[in-house]
Amino acid sequence: MTKACMKASRSLIRDFGEIENLQVSTKGPGDFVTSADRRTEKILIDELQKAHPEYGIITEETGIINKSNLKQRWIIDPIDGTLNFLNGIPQFAISIGYEEDGEIKSGVIFNPIMNEMFCAEKGNGAFLNNSRIRVSNKKLIQNALLVTGGPKAASKIKDKIFEEYANISKKVSNVRKFGSAALDMSYVACGRFDGYWQRELNYWDIAAGIIIVKEAGGFVDYFEEDQNLPLKKNILATNSNLYEKLKEFINKKDIE
Ligand code: IPD
Ligand code: CA
Ligand code: CA
């Protein structure tokens, strides 16, 4: 997984370098970004399939490959943080999770511009490049720096999401919106943020992040799950001290 990531990142870095030129062109970078997404995804799929052609794959751009293998699957987001990428902001990442029997067992999230590789494997801890990482030790939710994201332009629950954002903001030190769910979770894992929550995500946004946060000693949970939409997720991820409080705050309208 790390090898596939490193290979794909080479063309992604080149593509990111092009964005600045395209920003000032009349056509804009829109189509170019779509092709960068596809190019990155193709390299990832090719590399991963070389290692395990029999595994299933769920990707953002291509959809589901090898539908019959539900036991072992890779969950890929070639660029998480596309809007940042499109605007020349270096806050985006390649994200690959490996799922076995319905559970994420390992994950890699790589920001090629910052050269930060977050990875984890069940039972073996979480790492940023070669150093072991841990979630923060913050105990009081009023001191917590959280991160969230959304709503998407097409969201039907924008008001609810904004209301929740306002409510939670009043209860904590501050809330950031950085635009890459994969990196948001990685930052919780290494203690830069104390917690993260977000609605209306896709599985590939967070698959790798789940194991990275867990192996860094954090808690990950879903809320208001829709059993009919298994690839849609509402998620929270925190250190163990703040988990109960954040869960309580989510969707609570009457907190002041
Ligand atoms: C998006 C990012 C963003 C989140 C959106 C996602 P994309 O993924 O993770 O942080 O707020 O909900 O769709 O489209 O950049 O791969
Ligand atoms: Ca994504
Ligand atoms: Ca994406």
Side-chain angles (χ1 to χ4, degrees), residues 191-203:
R192 291 175 185 167
F193 292 124
D194 304 304
Y196 166 67
W197 90 96
Q198 187 168 345
R199 292 175 185 270
E200 300 190 309
L201 288 161
N202 292 300
Y203 194 31

Side-chain angles (χ1 to χ4, degrees), residues 97-169:
Y98 170 64
E99 186 202 67
E100 207 175 85
D101 297 321
E103 187 192 356
I104 302 289
K105 292 283 169 69
S106 56
V108 175
I109 292 173
F110 184 46
N111 176 339
I113 309 302
M114 308 286 276
N115 198 24
E116 287 193 325
M117 163 97 55
F118 297 87
C119 62
E121 193 175 17
K122 193 175 177 187
N124 284 327
F127 294 82
L128 164 51
N129 296 337
N130 290 319
S131 304
R132 188 83 185 248
I133 51 173
R134 270 202 73 76
V135 290
S136 83
N137 190 27
K138 197 80 57 75
K139 293 199 171 55
L140 297 174
I141 193 91
Q142 59 265 39
N143 295 336
L145 178 62
L146 304 184
V147 63
T148 187
K152 291 182 212 274
S155 172
K156 294 197 173 70
I157 55 161
K158 276 188 185 161
D159 288 347
K160 181 181 174 140
I161 288 174
F162 285 130
E163 196 180 342
E164 193 166 76
Y165 179 88
N167 277 334
I168 293 178
S169 297

Side-chain angles (χ1 to χ4, degrees), residues 18 25 30-31 33 43 63 70 86 93 106 115 126 131 134 141 154 159 162 165 171 187-188 208 210 220-221 252:
E18 276 296 304
S25 81
D31 291 344
V33 170
I43 298 170
L70 297 172
L86 178 69
S106 56
N115 198 24
S131 304
R134 270 202 73 76
I141 193 91
D159 288 347
F162 285 130
Y165 179 88
K171 291 282 181 189
Y187 284 17
V188 170
I210 290 171
V220 178
D221 202 1
K252 222 178 173 192

Side-chain angles (χ1 to χ4, degrees), residues 60 77 79-83 149-150 152 178-182 184 196 198-202 204-205:
E60 179 169 20
D77 192 343
I79 306 178
D80 184 66
T82 322
L83 198 54
K152 291 182 212 274
F178 269 22
S180 161
D184 293 343
Y196 166 67
Q198 187 168 345
R199 292 175 185 270
E200 300 190 309
L201 288 161
N202 292 300
W204 49 79
D205 299 320

